[in-house]
């Protein structure tokens, strides 16, 4: 796909429902009592993998519309042993969070996925789940992951690496721990959608600044979930509008959970003009509109403690840094190496091919920015949806455009991305 340069990003858009919240709504709805209606569901390859997974476990899901689904809950212990392996596709969220729920069920469950997912580590969840009493098997620390339900006990678990997926998996298993509460201690704050949703469903959740605890639940009930727009889906548009002179873009009804919006804080200290308007709460989640206007940027450093709040947006930060005056650095982002691709490698390789001066570090990268548009050229997504979106934004802010290979990878998280980008691109 060829992405032509643009002269501005102008207009009003809404982005698909938050992928992280959509995953969790389907899973919690599956083990809840009664029916859960999910409005604003974020339709993507990843979230469809979660629907397929719970269906394989005996849960009925009605798809009333693209963004409205109903989940008929089977109760806390009502998931059924499937006839074969459960295919999680490319979704690490599906595999890791579901493993926690299955640890308290009766039966044997095998979780697998595509080639990319089978190459990603699962020891991070296998270790705490085994400590709780679950029977876990892996293929040398990678999927397929086999979970055999068992009687679980509560544990106190300190995350060795900040990870919302690991935290969520342990909290899910904590719903079934007959022996005491389960506490997860975080070295750095990560996204808290799981805690918010479990509390909304009636689970006994308690929170302190650096930890969250959960006790065994008797029953859960969600009823209705309104999913806000996905901030990670909004992020490419935010960066494009911030970089292109004359841009003025409004993104409506997007999730503004402060544990997800680290990119806004970083861009604002670089000089970006971003205004949050019409703030309100929906289902415990902060929501609002974002007005983004272009402005010259200056370099900054992203420290390790900030990384969990913008880990998915760091590829886009690298592009913003390339167009800012001065030297920018990302530190403490080793987690990028175990995403859908090694994103430290793919980001540096891809942006260098576009004429950007970027060097990789073991735990991040450094970018020497110049306040002009990058030249452009050719790059591939390597099958990674975040890298595909990075290539698209690089194309519109470049001088000569970008030839993007494997652009269809965006469908993993945002099937309509290119059409929406084209709708606000001024050429």
């Amino acid at each position: 796909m060829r992405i032509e340069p643009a002269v501005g990003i102008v207009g009003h858009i809404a982005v698909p429902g938050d992928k992280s919240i959509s995953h969790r709504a389907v899973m919690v709805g599956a083990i809840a009592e009664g029916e859960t209606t999910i409005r604003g569901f974020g339709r993507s390859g990843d979230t469809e993998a979660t629907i397929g997974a719970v269906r394989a476990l005996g849960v009925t899901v009605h798809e009333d519309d693209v963004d409205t689904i109903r989940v008929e809950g089977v109760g806390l212990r009502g998931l059924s042993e499937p006839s074969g392996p459960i295919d999680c596709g490319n979704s690490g969220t599906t595999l890791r969070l579901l493993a926690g729920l299955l640890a308290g069920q009766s039966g044997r469950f095998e979780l697998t996925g595509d080639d990319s997912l089978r190459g990603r580590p699962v020891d991070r969840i296998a270790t705490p789940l085994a400590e709780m009493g679950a029977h876990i098997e892996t293929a040398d620390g990678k999927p397929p992951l086999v979970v055999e339900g068992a009687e679980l006990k509560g544990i106190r678990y300190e995350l060795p690496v900040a990870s919302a997926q690991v935290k969520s998996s342990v909290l899910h298993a904590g719903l079934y721990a007959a022996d005491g509460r389960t506490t997860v201690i975080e070295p750095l704050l990560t996204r808290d959608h799981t805690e918010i949703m479990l509390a909304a469903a009636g689970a006994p959740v308690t929170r302190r600044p650096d930890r969250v605890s959960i006790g065994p639940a008797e029953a859960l009930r969600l009823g209705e979930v309104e999913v806000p727009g996905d901030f990670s889906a909004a992020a490419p548009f935010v960066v494009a509008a911030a970089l292109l002179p004359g841009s003025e873009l409004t993104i409506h009804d997007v999730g503004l959970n402060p544990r997800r919006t680290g990119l806004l804080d970083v861009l604002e200290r670089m000089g970006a003009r971003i205004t949050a308007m019409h703030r309100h709460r929906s289902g415990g989640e902060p929501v609002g509109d974002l007005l983004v206007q272009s402005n010259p940027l200056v370099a900054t450093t992203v420290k390790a403690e900030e990384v969990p709040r913008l880990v998915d947006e760091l590829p886009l930060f690298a592009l913003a840094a390339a167009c800012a005056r001065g030297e920018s650095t990302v530190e403490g982002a080793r987690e990028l190496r175990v995403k859908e691709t090694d994103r430290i490698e793919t980001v540096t390789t891809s942006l260098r091919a576009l004429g950007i001066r970027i060097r990789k570090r073991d735990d991040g990268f450094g970018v020497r920015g110049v306040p002009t548009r990058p030249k452009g050229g050719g790059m591939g997504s390597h099958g990674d949806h975040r890298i595909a979106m990075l290539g698209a934004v690089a194309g519109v802010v470049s001088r000569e455009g970008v030839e993007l290979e494997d652009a269809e990878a965006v469908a993993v998280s945002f099937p309509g991305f290119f059409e929406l980008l084209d709708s606000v691109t001024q050429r």
Side-chain angles (χ1 to χ4, degrees):
M1 177 181 290
R2 177 157 183 84
I3 312 297
E4 298 289 352
V7 296
I9 302 293
V10 178
H12 293 255
I13 61 170
V15 294
D18 189 284
K19 190 159 68 91
S20 294
I21 297 173
S22 297
H23 280 299
R24 288 157 172 82
V26 172
M27 291 189 204
V28 176
I31 59 166
E33 302 291 328
E35 186 175 90
T36 297
T37 300
I38 305 169
R39 305 187 195 281
F41 178 76
R43 179 76 60 172
S44 68
D46 277 1
T47 54
E48 287 182 347
T50 292
I51 291 176
V54 300
R55 280 175 169 160
L57 295 164
V59 178
T60 299
V61 181
H62 304 279
E63 301 185 57
D64 296 342
D65 202 344
V66 171
D67 61 354
T68 302
I69 67 172
R70 291 177 291 121
V71 182
E72 294 186 16
V74 295
L76 272 170
R77 291 174 171 80
L79 299 179
S80 304
E81 183 174 334
S83 57
I86 296 174
D87 183 5
C88 300
N90 186 245
S91 178
T93 303
T94 303
L95 187 146
R96 294 187 177 107
L97 271 62
L98 195 56
L101 295 181
L102 296 176
Q105 305 294 321
S106 176
R108 182 181 187 276
F109 309 89
E110 180 179 337
L111 301 173
T112 188
D114 64 12
D115 289 344
S116 171
L117 187 62
R118 291 198 304 273
R120 297 170 68 181
V122 291
D123 275 349
R124 290 179 182 176
I125 60 167
T127 297
L129 293 180
E131 188 178 334
M132 297 178 78
H135 304 297
I136 306 288
E137 300 172 20
T138 69
D140 294 324
K142 297 177 180 177
L145 174 75
V146 176
V147 182
E148 288 195 45
E151 185 172 331
L152 304 182
K153 63 179 180 180
I155 61 171
R156 181 180 184 274
Y157 189 68
E158 295 191 26
L159 292 175
V161 177
S163 169
Q165 291 183 359
V166 177
K167 173 180 66 174
S168 298
S169 185
V170 175
L171 292 176
H172 278 174
L175 292 167
Y176 301 94
D179 181 18
R181 294 179 69 80
T182 295
T183 299
V184 181
I185 301 167
E186 299 189 271
L188 299 169
L189 295 182
T190 64
R191 58 186 65 180
D192 57 356
H193 304 305
T194 296
E195 300 95 294
I196 291 172
M197 186 157 296
L198 288 175
V205 176
T206 57
R207 302 177 64 179
R208 291 171 58 186
D210 66 337
R211 67 196 63 194
V212 57
S213 299
I214 193 166
E218 294 183 5
L220 302 178
R221 183 177 291 275
L222 267 179
E224 290 204 5
V225 178
E226 293 281 349
V227 181
D230 194 321
F231 179 78
S232 292
F237 298 91
V238 171
V239 170
L243 293 180
L244 280 174
S247 295
E248 183 166 310
L249 178 71
T250 302
I251 309 172
H252 295 272
D253 294 320
V254 67
L256 297 178
N257 186 312
R259 298 199 186 190
R260 288 285 298 280
T261 56
L263 178 67
L264 296 184
D265 298 335
V266 170
L267 288 175
E268 285 172 350
R269 72 171 181 253
M270 295 174 78
R273 296 171 62 194
I274 304 171
T275 306
M277 309 176 295
H278 308 128
R279 290 178 178 267
H280 62 281
R281 284 192 171 267
S282 177
E285 294 279 355
V287 184
D289 301 342
L290 290 176
L291 171 63
V292 188
Q293 297 166 298
S294 60
N295 204 47
L297 303 184
V298 296
T300 192
T301 294
V302 176
K303 298 286 190 180
E305 58 267 24
E306 295 180 281
V307 166
R309 298 179 56 239
L310 72 157
V311 65
D312 288 338
E313 289 73 53
L314 285 174
L316 290 165
F317 165 75
L319 178 62
C323 302
R325 185 181 300 278
E327 181 88 17
S328 294
T329 306
V330 172
E331 303 171 352
R334 192 184 301 272
E335 185 73 8
L336 288 175
R337 293 199 179 273
V338 292
K339 293 293 186 177
E340 284 82 342
T341 59
D342 179 338
R343 286 185 183 155
I344 291 176
E345 294 287 342
T346 53
V347 168
T348 54
T349 300
S350 299
L351 294 186
R352 275 180 187 162
L354 306 183
I356 290 169
R357 291 181 287 182
I358 179 172
R359 66 185 187 283
K360 66 183 177 183
R361 300 159 49 107
D362 185 53
D363 64 345
F365 40 76
V367 184
R368 181 169 295 177
V370 290
T372 59
R373 298 171 71 148
K375 182 175 184 291
M379 61 172 277
S381 74
H382 304 275
D384 187 330
H385 57 124
R386 303 288 180 204
I387 304 302
M389 286 187 269
L390 170 68
V393 177
V396 298
V397 305
S398 69
R399 299 193 303 272
E400 299 179 4
V402 168
E403 290 283 348
L404 178 61
E405 294 182 10
D406 203 11
E408 63 272 14
V410 298
V412 165
S413 63
F414 196 160
F417 169 75
F418 289 105
E419 292 81 0
L420 191 60
L421 180 62
D422 189 60
S423 75
V424 290
T425 299
Q426 306 290 303
R427 291 193 167 94

